[in-house]
Amino acid sequence: PSLIFADEPTSGLDSFAAEKVVQSLRSLADDGRTVVCSVHQPRGSIFGMFDDLLLLADGKVVYMGPRDDVVQYFSKNGYTCPEYINPAEFLSDLIAVDFSSPEAETESRGRIDKLVEAFAKSSLHKEMESTALDIPVSGKISHARESARVGWLSQFRLLLSRAWKQVSRDKKNNLARLIPSIMSALLFGTIYWKLKLTQAAAMDRMGLLQVASINTAMLSLVKTLYVFPKERNIVDGERAKGSYEVLPYFLSKLCAELPVAAIFPSIFASILYPMAGLHGGFRRFGRFLSSVVVHSFAC
């Protein structure tokens, strides 16, 4: 993409990893892309990678302009950055509200109000306004969200493509379902090894069918417990923005999940069926297979 928005890409990272992330964003910018990102308390090397800065205090603009001019700008307004001090740390302390005491809060808010007022009267603010006025704005922009919304089939197609990529690339979760399926099939096959065709073995066969159904249903919960909490936050955010409707999302997830979800109970049944010595024949095996697959879909 030609425009990249990164919301706090360095949050939760140590200083070394944060620098590597910003270096990647810097390389994208050097390739001609526009990168807009928000950062908190960056180290000096990270601060030096930015071209322009937008400093906000309580949602008010304190500074907007070139990064190279920010220290000189605040120095002209009576706030000189000490030597050998990271300018990013100096600026963060300068525009932060101090809640340690009522007096400190009043003083810090007064300082911020002066900085906001000073920027509003500066040449940088006038330049920002003139730049904004030069940007052509269509009269239909207020209706862009409604007019740009794609149809139901397009939503389904895009969501299906994304859901399939998520399912097929989720190696960790797929492996977590494959190994228990094989191990449980071997375990049950050993317990119910070569059941005889007698009246006494009828109860054993019923028990085998019961544990097979329960096992496949429980294994299918692995993905739900692992994926659902993470994906819920993403879907809630996208739904709040009106990106798509519920039905296309549900159907796309269903269509993407079913083929992959059927593989694991099929492997389980293919191992267990001959070990237990159940009736031969493709038709009877198909009934057993369909039973465990349907039980896995139920969860």
Side-chain angles (χ1 to χ4, degrees):
S2 59
L3 178 60
I4 299 174
F5 286 95
D7 184 16
E8 300 183 19
T10 60
S11 296
L13 303 177
D14 56 48
S15 58
F16 177 80
E19 183 177 12
K20 293 301 179 182
V21 170
V22 178
Q23 282 180 354
S24 300
L25 295 174
R26 176 72 253 184
S27 63
L28 292 174
D30 292 337
D31 290 338
R33 296 176 176 85
T34 301
V35 180
V36 181
C37 64
S38 59
V39 293
H40 294 285
Q41 296 180 332
R43 59 187 290 185
S45 57
I46 293 177
F47 179 78
M49 297 183 195
F50 290 94
D51 295 322
D52 299 285
L53 297 178
L54 170 61
L55 302 181
L56 299 174
D58 282 347
K60 302 175 183 178
V61 179
V62 177
Y63 176 83
M64 183 176 180
R67 187 259 308 165
D68 294 335
D69 299 339
V70 64
V71 174
Q72 183 180 1
Y73 169 81
F74 281 98
S75 179
K76 290 181 179 179
N77 286 276
Y79 301 96
T80 303
C81 179
E83 192 175 5
Y84 307 118
I85 296 297
N86 180 6
E89 296 180 358
F90 169 74
L91 295 174
S92 297
D93 295 339
L94 185 64
I95 64 176
V97 179
D98 188 355
F99 294 99
S100 60
S101 65
E103 294 79 10
E105 181 180 356
T106 301
E107 180 183 356
S108 59
R109 290 190 181 278
R111 180 179 67 248
I112 292 173
D113 291 339
K114 291 180 180 179
L115 291 173
V116 172
E117 184 179 356
F119 179 76
K121 297 178 180 178
S122 66
S123 59
L124 290 173
H125 184 267
K126 296 178 181 179
E127 181 180 351
M128 180 183 68
E129 286 186 333
S130 62
T131 303
L133 292 174
D134 291 339
I135 299 176
V137 180
S138 172
K140 299 180 180 180
I141 192 170
S142 60
H143 304 287
R145 183 172 179 176
E146 290 77 4
S147 60
R149 188 166 184 172
V150 297
W152 188 91
L153 290 178
S154 297
Q155 293 179 33
F156 172 77
R157 178 176 56 82
L158 294 173
L159 291 171
L160 178 61
S161 176
R162 185 180 72 172
W164 176 253
K165 291 178 181 178
Q166 290 175 333
V167 173
S168 59
R169 296 176 181 177
D170 192 1
K171 297 180 180 179
K172 182 179 179 180
N173 183 61
N174 292 334
L175 190 63
R177 300 171 69 183
L178 175 62
I179 295 178
S181 297
I182 296 175
M183 297 301 295
S184 58
L186 294 174
L187 175 62
F188 295 146
T190 303
I191 296 174
Y192 295 97
W193 178 260
K194 299 299 181 182
L195 295 175
K196 297 180 180 179
L197 299 175
T198 61
Q199 184 65 30
M203 294 301 297
D204 292 336
R205 293 174 179 272
M206 292 180 61
L208 173 61
L209 294 176
Q210 181 178 8
V211 297
S213 299
I214 295 175
N215 180 74
T216 52
M218 292 299 102
L219 288 178
S220 66
L221 289 176
V222 173
K223 181 174 180 62
T224 302
L225 296 175
Y226 176 74
V227 175
F228 178 75
K230 297 180 179 180
E231 191 165 344
R232 179 181 58 183
N233 296 330
I234 298 176
V235 174
D236 287 344
E238 293 174 341
R239 287 281 299 120
K241 298 175 183 177
S243 301
Y244 49 78
E245 299 177 9
V246 176
L247 186 58
Y249 169 78
F250 175 75
L251 293 179
S252 65
K253 291 292 291 184
L254 191 64
C255 293
E257 292 280 354
L258 288 182
V260 177
I263 294 176
F264 305 106
S266 300
I267 295 174
F268 172 83
S270 300
I271 298 174
L272 177 60
Y273 197 86
M275 291 183 66
L278 300 178
H279 289 287
F282 181 78
R283 179 176 297 180
R284 293 185 177 182
F285 172 72
R287 293 175 181 174
F288 178 78
L289 177 61
S290 61
S291 175
V292 294
V293 170
V294 169
H295 275 88
S296 70
F297 290 163
C299 293

